[in-house]
Amino acid sequence: MTRRRLIILGGIVVFVAALAGVGAISRSTSSTAATSVSVSPAKSVAPSVSWYWTMAVAPSSPTTLILGTSSGLYRSADAGKTWKPTGPKVFNATSVVDAGSAIFAAGSVTKATSGPVVKTGNRRYASDGSVVFAASVDAGKTWRLLHPVGLPNATVQALTVDPGTNAVYALSNNGKLYSSTDDAKSFKLVDANIGIPAWALAVTQGGHFVGGDMDAGPHTSSNAKAWQKTAFSDGNGGSMVMEYAVQPKNATQVLMTSNGIVISSDGGRTWKTALKSTTMFGPVAYAPSSPNTAYAVGFDGSLWRSTDGGKSWSQ
């Protein structure tokens, strides 16, 4: 992902610091041992936007990245060295996922006065707005707007795909969960309230779920209805969850971003540090055509890559 460091430090980092704090990054050479490194200006930086949401790697290319942001979608064909806007204009692109040969993106068009994230009481969620749902079958070069039957005209908070069945799930920012088994042509209500704050969601092995948010921490569920909180402490001593990624060839292996990056080898029941950091990380994704390759974005604008399935990372 690509963004200019000076612009970031003048804008997005100020916003992020109020939420999570930005600190020094250390890189681990294993899942348990961490080695401190000094971080120079990012080799690859993300587009200059106010919020990063999610990311997908094109099914056909491990170096083609699609980034969902508060300012829409961005595409890189060179592993994050350069970026160009793509897809629908002027929308809060909360989610991007691979689904077979297609990439789906969703979010909403929000009011100009609304920020990308709203905090009400003890929960945060994407701003209310009219739903946007789009698909690409050419690695994110072009996009077609979809109008799925059964999906309400409300903000999609998160999309996820069941790696076993290829069913697509759409989570609204009000906590309603929908599923599609016909390539997002239509959706059916799965649950009127999933029971945890609507933020990040992923499907792991056997149709099980992981879900979490910035305040309540990570959870697991066998049916997206009854949830069990999992033990976890992030780089700042909290339990913040930002996003998930499930390895394409091994759905028991899951990455989760927070302050730094953690990894699970048991479908999200337990977590180990993969990238120790006090910097908040957001988008994270595996490459379908190269399952040991993964990418992650820090809110300091840095882009990181793993070539061993997410166990260790380099900038």
Side-chain angles (χ1 to χ4, degrees):
M1 341 206 54
T2 316
R3 172 186 352 191
R4 293 194 177 119
R5 184 77 168 180
L6 293 177
I7 296 175
I8 295 164
L9 292 178
I12 189 170
V13 169
V14 173
F15 174 64
V16 170
L19 292 173
V22 175
I25 295 177
S26 21
R27 180 176 70 198
S28 70
T29 55
S30 72
S31 60
T32 56
T35 303
S36 295
V37 294
S38 64
V39 178
S40 58
K43 299 174 184 177
S44 294
V45 291
S48 179
V49 296
S50 61
W51 193 263
Y52 300 127
W53 285 106
T54 56
M55 177 170 51
V57 183
S60 58
S61 169
T63 58
T64 299
L65 314 180
I66 310 299
L67 177 64
T69 80
S70 55
S71 297
L73 301 174
Y74 288 84
R75 180 180 187 270
S76 173
D78 53 13
K81 294 182 179 66
T82 60
W83 294 86
K84 292 183 179 179
T86 188
K89 306 300 181 185
V90 196
F91 84 111
N92 194 17
T94 58
S95 196
V96 189
V97 294
D98 290 301
S101 60
I103 302 173
F104 293 121
S108 66
V109 176
T110 60
K111 296 178 180 179
T113 55
S114 298
V117 179
V118 173
K119 189 175 190 300
T120 301
N122 61 352
R123 76 182 188 99
R124 304 171 207 251
Y125 52 92
S127 299
D128 291 331
S130 300
V131 67
V132 175
F133 205 111
S136 174
V137 293
D138 58 3
K141 293 178 184 177
T142 61
W143 295 80
R144 178 170 60 94
L145 283 174
L146 303 180
H147 303 281
V149 176
L151 192 67
N153 186 25
T155 297
V156 172
Q157 179 74 41
L159 292 176
T160 187
V161 176
D162 186 330
T165 66
N166 229 31
V168 180
Y169 289 86
L171 176 64
S172 294
N173 69 345
N174 59 8
K176 294 183 178 180
L177 182 64
Y178 301 82
S179 69
S180 172
T181 57
D182 58 6
D183 297 322
K185 295 180 180 67
S186 64
F187 282 83
K188 292 182 179 180
L189 182 66
V190 174
D191 201 330
N193 187 343
I194 63 169
I196 58 173
W199 184 266
L201 186 73
V203 186
T204 64
Q205 82 289 352
H208 288 213
F209 292 80
V210 288
D213 76 318
M214 296 179 71
D215 303 291
H219 298 73
T220 60
S221 174
S222 62
N223 56 12
K225 295 180 180 180
W227 295 87
Q228 181 177 356
K229 190 168 183 177
T230 55
F232 166 66
S233 180
D234 64 35
N236 283 337
S239 58
M240 179 176 67
V241 174
M242 291 300 291
E243 298 297 337
Y244 292 104
V246 177
Q247 192 178 46
K249 300 298 184 183
N250 178 11
T252 63
Q253 185 155 301
V254 185
L255 295 173
M256 182 173 75
T257 52
S258 180
N259 290 303
I261 305 169
V262 294
I263 188 169
S264 173
S265 59
D266 56 12
R269 290 190 293 272
T270 61
W271 300 95
K272 292 182 179 180
T273 300
L275 178 63
K276 185 178 181 181
S277 177
T278 54
T279 294
M280 190 165 78
F281 276 68
V284 60
Y286 280 105
S289 62
S290 179
N292 283 329
T293 301
Y295 297 88
V297 178
F299 269 78
D300 61 352
S302 58
L303 173 67
W304 295 74
R305 181 172 63 186
S306 172
T307 57
D308 59 6
K311 297 179 181 67
S312 62
W313 295 80
S314 58
Q315 190 175 347

